[in-house]
Amino acid sequence: MRILVLNGVNLNVLGSRDPAQYGGISLAELESRIYDWARQLELTVHCRQTNSEAEFIHWCHDAYDAVDGMVVNPGAWTHYAWSIRDALEPLRAPIVEVHLSNVDAREEWRRLSVLADIVAARFVGHGPDGYRMALEYLKEHR
Ligand code: DQA
């Protein structure tokens, strides 16, 4: 089962961001945990991160017919980038939205997710474990 994990804007500087929200883990550490979980779950996972909205959208396009599931944390794009919603909508495989912090209990502007109506599940506020939950969800709902 092929799963693409896409992290978006500012997730490359995770280790420098507010530890109260993001826990101080670096992107490299996060991706290493994701690959460990993938091995345990016998999933083929590929992780990517970009700060370029266009690149993120190209990777979504490339995923059509190429993956069996997607895990996305678009960072702040989640809250306003309708272009990313439109790029993900045609994907036939299930999409799971993940946020390290509990976006539903933070500032008002973070409570809108442009992806909410097209994702199969959302895991928010569980820190890195949210990515494990997303992989488990995709395996269970294959
Ligand atoms: C985030 C939450 C977003 O609101 C924020 O802009 C991020 C990270 C999270 O993982 O908690 O960059 O997606």
Side-chain angles (χ1 to χ4, degrees), residues 59-139:
W59 290 343
C60 295
H61 295 169
D62 291 344
Y64 302 167
D65 302 319
V67 301
D68 304 302
M70 247 175 106
V71 178
V72 295
N73 180 353
W77 290 328
T78 307
H79 314 301
Y80 64 88
W82 296 99
S83 51
I84 287 177
R85 182 210 174 279
D86 285 352
L88 285 169
E89 191 185 15
L91 197 85
R92 280 196 285 268
I95 304 164
V96 180
E97 178 183 349
V98 171
H99 299 283
L100 294 157
S101 65
N102 185 357
V103 285
D104 295 336
R106 294 180 64 190
E107 302 93 324
E108 190 69 39
W109 60 269
R110 290 188 205 269
R111 295 184 192 169
L112 171 71
S113 165
V114 297
L115 306 179
D117 67 324
I118 58 162
V119 295
R122 300 176 80 226
F123 295 100
V124 306
H126 300 286
D129 282 345
Y131 291 83
R132 179 179 48 75
M133 294 171 183
L135 295 180
E136 287 170 352
Y137 177 93
L138 288 171
K139 184 165 178 166

Side-chain angles (χ1 to χ4, degrees), residues 28-44:
E29 288 162 346
L30 175 63
E31 290 187 343
S32 151
R33 284 195 207 180
I34 293 170
Y35 285 123
D36 283 345
W37 290 321
R39 264 190 298 278
Q40 289 161 21
L41 293 164
E42 298 178 335
L43 300 170
T44 304

